[in-house]
Amino acid sequence: MTDSTAGTAPQQTTGTTSVPEPAAASAGTPPPPAEHAPPTGRFLARATLLTASLSVAAALLGLVRDQSLARLFGAGRDTDAFLVAWTVPEFAATLLIEDGLAFALIPAFSMALARRARGDGGDPVRSLVAGTLPRLALGFAAVGALLALAAPQFVEALAPGLPDPRPAVDCTRITATCVVSFGLAGYCSAVLRAHRRFLAPAGIYIAYNVGIITAMYTLGGRWGVRSAAVGVAAGGVLMVAVQLPSLVRELRRRPAAEAAGTRAAAGPLDAPLLATVLLFALCRQSQVLIERFLASTLPAGAISHLNYAQKVAQIPMTLSMMLCTITFPVVARALAEGDTERARDRVERDLVLAGALVLLGAAAVVACAPQLIGLLFQRGAFTAGDTAATAGVMRVYALGLLGQTLTGVLVRSYFSAGRATWYPVAAMAAGIAATSWIGAATVGPWGVTGIAAANATGITLTAVLLLAGMRRRSVPVRTRRLLGELSRPLRAALVAAPAGALVAGLPGSPLAELAAGGTTVTVVFVLLGRALGAREFAPALRLVRTHTRRLVHAVLR
C-alpha cells in the first residue's frame, strides 16, 4: 500500500521517507505485505483508509477548484468555453488513469509479478515496461499534437452552439498537453498499484488540483478563464512528478534470475485487450460529449450547471469506489494464479459494500441538494438562480449513482483476467445509445433536467447488462444473491431521501438545514437497513465515520 525502498531491515517506508516501523504504525500507514503473498484483510482495510483519506483531500481541493472557477468566472459564456476544453482532461483521466489504461496494465503487471514469483527467467516486470512504455509515450504525444492542431474542429463538433468559440479553442490547445502527462501518470499509477503501492497514486489529484487553483488565482486577472487551462497543463506535470520516485524504486529491484544473467524478452501489451478497454472507457466518457452537445443549444450557463451538479453528485460514487481501487489488483492477481473462488468472493463483497455506500450518499444528495450547492458555490458571480438550477439537475443525476458505481466495479471484473472481451463495450454502447435517444427527446421540454435523466437511465442500463453477463463472461458471481443484498440498502435509501428532504426544508440557515437533513438521512438509512438485515452495513458505517471525521477535521482545522 505504501511506497517502499530497498533498505536495511527493520525499517519500512511511507511515501519517500524511511521511518522506523513504530512511527509508521502511529501515522496510520500499514506495513506492506510480502510482494507475492496474498494481502490480508487488515492490509486492504488500511490501504483503503489511506487511499480514501487522500481522495477526500483531493475532493475537497476539487471543490475549492470548482468554487474558484465559479467565483472568478461565474456560470456564463467564459466558463462554458473552458468546460468544453475541460472535456479533454476529463476524457484523458478516464481513458488513461482511472479506467481504460489501468484495466489493461494492472492485469498485465499482475501476471508479470506472478511470473516473477514462479521464478521465470529475467525480470518480467522490467521487460514489460521496456516493451510498453516507449510505444505508449509516443502514442500519447502523437494524439496530443493532433488534438492541438484540430482544436477548432473539435470545439465545433462538440459545442456547435457556442456564440464565440475562440476561448474554447485556446483552452483546448492548452489542455491537449494533458494527453501526454495523464498518460504517463496513468502508467505510473497502474505499475505502482500492481505492486501494492497506493500512496503516490492516491495523491495525484491533490497535486493536479493545486496546479489548477494556483494558476487561476495567479494568472486569472491577466488571462481570464484561459488561466484554468494553464493550470490543467501544470497539474498534469505534477501528477507524474509525485509518482516518479516510487516508480523508479520499484523498477530498480533486481530479482535473482536477472542478477544471474538471465533476461526476459520484452513485449508490447496485447493489442485486442488494449483496444477493448480503451473503447469501453471512451464510450463511457462520451456521456459527457452528449451532455455538452445537447446543452450547447440551451441558454448560456447550461453546461456550467451540468458540470457543477455532476462534480458534487459524483463525490459519493468516488468515495464508494475507493475499496475497488485497492482490490482490483487483488482480483487480477487471484485470476492470474487461477484462484477463481477468491476472486469471486472479493468481487461480491466489493459490489455490496460499494452499493451500500453510494446509496447512502445518493440519498443525502437528493435530500440536501439546494443546501449543498448554495453553501459550496453561491458567491461572487454564481447567483441564487444558478444554485436552484444546479440543485435540480444534481437530484436527477443522483438517480444514476448506483448504476455508475456498479458499472465501475463490474467492468474491473471483466478485464481483471487480462483478456480482451467485447461484451463490456457492447453494454456501454447500449447505455450510450439510450442516453442519446432520451436526451435528444427530453432536452427540448425539460432542458438540462432531461439531459441528466438521460445520463442516469443510460448508465443504469449498462450496469444491468454488465451484471447479467458476469456468470458466463467474467468472474462467476452469484447474481440472485447479489441482487437480494443490494435491494436492502436500496429500499432504505428510498425512504431516507424524502425524510431527509422534509427535514432539510424546515426554516433555518443553510448550514443548519444541511446538517439536519444529512443527519436524518443517515439515521433513517442505518436503522432501516439494519432492520432489513443488510449485512454490509457495519463495514460501510465504519468507512462513513472515518470519511466524516477526516472531512470535518480538514474543513474546521
Side-chain angles (χ1 to χ4, degrees), residues 132-487:
T132 56
L133 183 56
R135 294 177 174 88
L136 289 174
L138 183 61
F140 300 150
V143 173
L146 180 63
L147 180 59
L149 290 173
Q153 293 77 19
F154 174 83
V155 171
E156 175 63 25
L158 182 59
L162 286 179
D164 182 8
R166 288 175 297 177
V169 171
D170 293 342
C171 290
T172 299
R173 283 177 169 149
I174 298 170
T175 58
T177 60
C178 75
V179 176
V180 178
S181 59
F182 280 34
L184 296 176
Y187 192 95
C188 294
S189 295
V191 177
L192 290 172
R193 285 171 177 161
H195 283 81
R196 301 177 192 164
R197 305 294 181 254
F198 299 103
L199 179 60
I204 60 176
Y205 286 110
I206 295 177
Y208 176 61
N209 287 323
V210 166
I212 298 175
I213 294 167
T214 302
M216 284 195 293
Y217 279 105
T218 57
L219 303 174
R222 185 188 313 169
W223 292 355
V225 78
R226 293 171 179 83
S227 63
V230 174
V232 169
V237 174
L238 292 175
M239 293 168 85
V240 179
V242 299
Q243 297 183 97
L244 272 180
S246 301
L247 181 67
V248 170
R249 284 195 298 270
E250 288 299 325
L251 296 181
R252 278 179 176 174
R253 295 183 175 184
R254 295 174 61 85
E258 187 182 58
T262 306
R263 300 188 61 84
L269 283 175
D270 181 70
L273 171 63
L274 190 59
T276 55
V277 297
L278 290 180
L279 279 175
F280 173 84
L282 186 64
C283 283
R284 183 173 184 180
Q285 194 61 22
S286 64
Q287 286 184 309
V288 177
L289 295 182
I290 295 167
E291 290 176 6
R292 290 178 182 168
F293 179 86
L294 296 172
S296 69
T297 62
L298 297 174
I303 295 177
S304 300
H305 297 151
L306 284 165
N307 173 75
Y308 294 129
Q310 189 179 60
K311 291 294 189 296
V312 178
Q314 286 186 346
I315 290 176
M317 180 196 73
T318 302
L319 293 177
S320 68
M321 291 291 294
M322 286 301 100
L323 178 62
C324 304
T325 301
I326 303 300
T327 58
F328 178 43
V330 175
V331 175
R333 186 66 175 270
L335 292 177
E337 295 170 352
D339 194 344
T340 304
E341 185 175 351
R342 178 157 60 99
R344 183 197 66 189
D345 291 343
R346 181 72 262 169
V347 171
E348 289 180 350
R349 288 197 296 269
D350 289 350
L351 284 166
V352 176
L353 179 55
L357 283 172
V358 80
L359 284 168
L360 173 57
V365 166
V366 170
C368 306
Q371 292 80 11
L372 276 169
I373 297 299
L375 286 170
L376 291 173
F377 300 116
Q378 191 174 316
R379 55 183 61 86
F382 198 91
T383 66
D386 293 323
T387 295
T390 304
V393 175
M394 189 169 73
R395 279 177 162 156
V396 180
Y397 262 130
L399 302 179
L401 287 180
L402 179 61
Q404 293 276 8
T405 301
L406 295 182
T407 296
V409 179
L410 290 167
V411 75
R412 283 167 168 78
S413 304
Y414 277 93
F415 291 122
S416 56
R419 296 190 299 268
T421 172
W422 291 98
Y423 184 79
V425 180
M428 194 68 244
I432 289 300
T435 299
S436 303
W437 294 335
I438 296 172
T442 59
V443 66
W446 293 355
V448 289
T449 303
I451 297 174
N455 180 299
T457 304
I459 197 65
T460 301
L461 174 62
T462 298
V464 170
L465 292 175
L466 288 175
L467 184 58
M470 281 287 285
R471 179 172 292 276
R472 288 185 298 171
R473 299 177 177 87
S474 181
V475 179
V477 298
R478 292 160 289 195
T479 306
R480 188 184 299 274
R481 178 181 176 184
L482 271 175
L483 292 175
E485 291 290 339
L486 287 171
S487 69

